[in-house]
Amino acid sequence: MGEFIGSVWWMIVSLGVLVTFHEFGHYWVARRCGVKVLRFSVGFGRPLWMRRNRAGTEFAIAAIPLGGYVKMLDEREVEVHPHERDQAFNHKSVWQRIAIVAAGPAANLLLCIALLWAMFVLGKQDYSPTIGRTSGMAQAAGLQSGDRLISVDARSVVTAGQASMALTTAAMDRHDARLEVLDAQDRVQTRVLPLSQLPQGFDERRVPVLAGLTWQFWLQPALVEKVVPDSAAQGVLLPGDLIVAVDGQRIDAIDQVFTEIHTLGKRGGPGMIEVLRGGERLALEITPRQGKDGRGQPTWQIGIGFAQSSAPAYDAELKYGPLAALPVAVRETARMAGDSLGMMRRIVTGNASLQNISGPVTIARVANVSAQRGLDWFLFFLALLSLSLCIINLLPIPILDGGHLLYYLIELVKGSPLSERAMAAGQYVGLALLAGLMGLAFYNDILGLAAR
């Protein structure tokens, strides 16, 4: 219940901030163009709070916090007195209407840059793209434990997240990724990861894993926290033991213990488990017993529990001075926009799965997780969401800002506005498209919850 309340709260906070800036962009430019604004509302439905300024604009916070709107004086919607006709939106020039409509997405773009700037000045704690373990194609490509990726296909990567995104992009485009890595001796090496060999229909969310890459920060030491009574480990292992090898196989992380214990159990008979205890390395004999895992499936066990931290320690920081942070924030915004537009293009062309489309449930969950990880991560989340809101609103779909901009561009070309009938038909098409996208987003959200 705590996670649910936190997710709802942080989603409301996030959407409230982003919608306020978006609608303020429309409002500010509309007032500069001499348009009378009747209402500035954050949220839909019945107003919970309202104030009116001297210009007659009602500022409201409404009950449904999933958007907002700026209602302007417009002869197509309300009766306009003759003396106010020059303040009506529909009486403004096409260029003024374009500026007013484009101001909302522009405000979100500027907010994205500002949020990233604040994040970089504050300093964003993150994880470096250091490889902890390799297998499969990554091992065959010559990648080794301790290598740190510095570029993927000539694109610089500083964090594991950036590296994962670049690898995922290459995999979706079905081409091999050219990597530059800094090895354990601080030498720059070039490796080619044959991502084109991934099978059709691969899970795009697990590209590094499918390629045989395990990031260093994923690896948690196999530190024994408890020993189950009457188990194979009782009398052999103690809480505080650090497992470093099982039956001669080196152990770097918890997940390897399960694999090696299962192998030892299938082989039959006792094996040696090596631990660090009180500064000493001990080799102890142990015989796994067959039991069942959490899903009721048969497995081999020795009866221990591990101490797992909720989040590994960060090993990288992105931090700049106030002046240096501005161009970095602009470049990061451009990189994120390129990634988002590229993903949309791949979804349309079929190179990316429709599962990449997420809805409010996913947004709420990520908002909550980001807020818990710290202000730097929450600022990054807000920046990404603000940029997404900018891009989505610029799509040429009627009802969205991009649809209105499309109408005005057509008006510029033909020299007169589109007919009311044509615009009404476009609105229906836009509603159908948005309903389809929202339905798909909710479907993916539900699948994501079911998979947890």
Side-chain angles (χ1 to χ4, degrees):
M1 182 59 71
E3 181 182 356
F4 173 78
I5 294 174
S7 297
V8 171
W9 166 251
W10 287 113
M11 183 182 72
I12 292 173
V13 170
S14 302
L15 292 181
V17 170
L18 302 185
V19 167
T20 299
F21 271 85
H22 179 92
E23 300 303 336
F24 182 77
H26 291 311
Y27 169 81
W28 189 83
V29 176
R31 295 298 298 137
R32 302 287 82 73
C33 292
V35 175
K36 183 176 181 178
V37 178
L38 303 179
R39 177 176 288 184
F40 182 119
S41 177
V42 177
F44 298 110
R46 184 175 64 86
L48 303 176
W49 174 90
M50 184 181 295
R51 289 290 185 274
R52 188 189 302 269
N53 69 1
R54 294 180 180 178
T57 302
E58 296 174 341
F59 292 86
I61 298 177
I64 305 174
L66 296 178
Y69 62 92
V70 169
K71 184 177 181 180
M72 305 176 205
L73 190 66
D74 194 316
E75 286 182 321
R76 296 168 298 180
E77 299 178 5
V78 296
E79 185 178 348
V80 177
H81 294 294
H83 70 276
E84 290 185 321
R85 196 162 289 163
D86 63 328
Q87 298 181 61
F89 176 80
N90 63 301
H91 275 272
K92 296 302 177 180
S93 71
V94 65
W95 286 111
Q96 287 177 311
R97 281 177 277 144
I98 287 174
I100 293 168
V101 171
N108 283 126
L109 180 63
L110 292 175
L111 178 61
C112 174
I113 295 173
L115 290 168
L116 290 175
W117 175 86
M119 180 196 75
F120 285 129
V121 171
L122 177 67
K124 182 173 184 284
Q125 301 293 315
D126 216 320
Y127 301 105
S128 69
T130 302
I131 298 172
R133 191 168 65 233
T134 62
S135 61
M137 66 172 62
Q139 190 175 55
L143 294 168
Q144 298 178 6
S145 174
D147 286 351
R148 179 166 61 85
L149 272 65
I150 55 179
S151 74
V152 178
D153 290 332
R155 172 176 167 175
S156 176
V157 293
V158 181
T159 67
Q162 292 176 353
S164 295
M165 184 64 195
L167 292 172
T168 301
T169 298
M172 288 188 295
D173 291 340
R174 311 300 298 176
H175 77 255
D176 299 339
R178 184 179 179 85
L179 313 179
E180 282 191 343
V181 300
L182 196 65
D183 66 16
Q185 286 74 43
D186 288 335
R187 297 173 301 189
V188 176
Q189 306 282 355
T190 301
R191 302 285 185 260
V192 176
L193 193 60
L195 296 175
S196 62
Q197 297 178 13
L198 288 176
Q200 292 291 334
F202 64 88
D203 189 344
E204 295 162 7
R205 296 165 296 185
R206 302 180 64 247
V207 168
V209 175
L210 297 175
L213 285 174
T214 300
W215 301 122
Q216 180 66 51
F217 75 93
W218 286 351
L219 303 179
Q220 297 190 49
L223 184 65
V224 177
E225 184 177 47
K226 65 178 181 179
V227 177
V228 178
D230 299 322
S231 66
Q234 186 177 30
V236 180
L237 300 177
L238 298 175
D241 285 349
L242 178 64
I243 300 176
V244 294
V246 174
D247 209 29
Q249 297 298 315
R250 176 179 168 177
I251 299 296
D252 296 310
I254 291 172
D255 62 309
Q256 293 172 295
V257 176
F258 300 112
T259 302
E260 296 304 328
I261 291 297
H262 185 72
T263 301
L264 178 58
K266 287 178 64 178
R267 192 199 70 189
M272 302 303 294
I273 186 166
E274 297 177 45
V275 302
L276 292 179
R277 179 188 298 170
E280 290 186 80
R281 186 175 180 124
L282 305 177
L284 308 168
E285 186 176 282
I286 197 165
T287 304
R289 300 175 185 173
Q290 195 161 34
K292 292 185 177 181
D293 61 18
R295 294 175 296 179
Q297 300 298 315
T299 186
W300 291 93
Q301 303 170 336
I302 58 174
I304 57 174
F306 292 106
Q308 299 189 51
S309 60
S310 57
Y314 296 114
D315 61 353
E317 183 181 40
L318 306 176
K319 188 171 184 176
Y320 303 88
L323 293 179
L326 183 57
V328 176
V330 173
R331 289 196 299 270
E332 181 67 6
T333 300
R335 184 192 66 79
M336 290 163 54
D339 287 342
S340 298
L341 292 171
M343 181 62 72
M344 292 172 65
R345 174 181 59 81
R346 292 180 182 92
I347 290 174
V348 171
T349 58
N351 288 340
S353 169
L354 292 174
Q355 292 181 349
N356 289 290
I357 299 175
S358 301
V361 176
T362 299
I363 292 173
R365 287 171 50 201
V366 176
N368 187 41
V369 171
S370 301
Q372 291 178 351
R373 293 179 78 172
L375 180 59
D376 51 346
W377 280 86
F378 189 60
L379 289 173
F380 178 75
F381 166 76
L382 283 178
L384 180 59
L385 194 58
S386 187
L387 181 63
S388 299
L389 189 59
C390 167
I391 292 173
I392 290 172
N393 268 281
L394 287 175
L395 293 176
I397 298 175
I399 296 180
L400 298 178
D401 292 332
H404 292 292
L405 291 174
L406 178 62
Y407 288 157
Y408 302 146
L409 291 176
I410 293 173
E411 181 179 340
L412 282 173
V413 173
K414 70 190 289 283
S416 61
L418 281 173
S419 67
E420 293 289 336
R421 183 176 179 180
M423 285 192 284
Q427 299 283 55
Y428 286 119
V429 172
L431 278 172
L433 288 172
L434 282 181
L437 285 173
M438 290 177 63
L440 178 60
F442 273 111
Y443 176 74
N444 287 339
D445 282 349
I446 292 170
L447 283 184
L449 286 176
R452 292 182 69 185

